[in-house]
């Protein structure tokens, strides 16, 4: 079963048809989900939703790196560029995240990080992939 809003598509149960739906979504102008039908362009976002603790740590690092005040509101969807970060700031954010979480982010992955959520998701993925002896 899938639910659709204007910003995201979420699946409640694993399905082998997810890739088929996404291929159709990326190649067609019109899609139908149950009773919902649209002929407009749809933007799909699939998120693995990192832990709230990881999102908070990333938010704290972003605030520190960008010299934002403690009361600056940040959400998981906050874009670095909307917070005033340029490419150098983004590199410094990634370096601070690498140091804080004891991970190494590939350049290709670093270039794709634009929001706090994307950073948190990548961090959790990298931490999970670390060999057991490194995390001990």
């Amino acid at each position: 079963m899938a639910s659709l809003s204007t910003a995201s598509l979420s699946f409640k149960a694993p399905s082998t048809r997810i890739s088929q739906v996404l291929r159709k979504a990326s190649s067609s102008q019109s899609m139908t989900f149950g009773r919902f039908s649209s002929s407009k362009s749809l933007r799909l976002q699939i998120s693995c939703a990192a832990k709230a603790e990881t999102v908070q740590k990333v938010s704290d690092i972003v605030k520190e790196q960008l010299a934002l005040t403690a009361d600056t509101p940040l959400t998981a969807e906050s874009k670095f560029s909307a917070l005033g970060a340029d490419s150098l700031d983004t590199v410094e954010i990634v370096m601070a995240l690498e140091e804080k979480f004891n991970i190494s982010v590939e350049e290709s992955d670093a270039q794709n990080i634009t929001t706090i959520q994307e950073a948190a998701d990548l961090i959790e993925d990298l931490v999970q992939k670390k060999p057991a002896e490194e995390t001990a």
Side-chain angles (χ1 to χ4, degrees):
M1 169 178 267
S3 63
L4 180 69
S5 72
T6 57
S8 67
L9 171 68
S10 61
F11 293 90
K12 295 192 184 238
S15 171
T16 57
R17 299 187 63 196
I18 291 173
S19 61
Q20 294 167 340
V21 170
L22 294 177
R23 274 196 298 275
K24 182 177 179 185
S26 65
S27 65
S28 81
Q29 292 288 333
S30 176
M31 290 195 61
T32 302
F33 290 94
R35 294 184 200 154
F36 177 81
S37 177
S38 174
S39 60
K40 297 183 180 183
S41 175
L42 296 175
R43 180 177 168 207
L44 301 177
Q45 174 184 352
I46 298 176
S47 174
C48 62
K51 295 181 219 166
E53 176 185 341
T54 305
V55 172
Q56 184 58 53
K57 287 179 182 178
V58 171
S59 295
D60 293 344
I61 289 170
V62 168
K63 281 184 180 183
E64 181 181 334
Q65 291 298 315
L66 298 179
L68 301 174
T69 61
D71 61 341
T72 302
L74 294 182
T75 67
E77 293 79 28
S78 295
K79 292 186 179 244
F80 298 157
S81 60
L83 299 171
D86 59 20
S87 58
L88 180 58
D89 292 322
T90 302
V91 168
E92 291 175 350
I93 290 169
V94 171
M95 290 172 58
L97 294 171
E98 287 177 321
E99 185 176 323
K100 172 74 175 177
F101 292 94
N102 193 27
I103 57 171
S104 180
V105 178
E106 296 293 327
E107 186 176 341
S108 59
D109 290 332
Q111 292 174 350
N112 293 325
I113 299 173
T114 61
T115 67
I116 290 172
Q117 184 68 56
E118 290 170 351
D121 290 343
L122 178 62
I123 288 165
E124 287 196 356
D125 185 47
L126 292 173
V127 167
Q128 192 174 50
K129 289 180 180 176
K130 284 174 68 170
E133 63 273 2
E134 286 185 34
T135 58

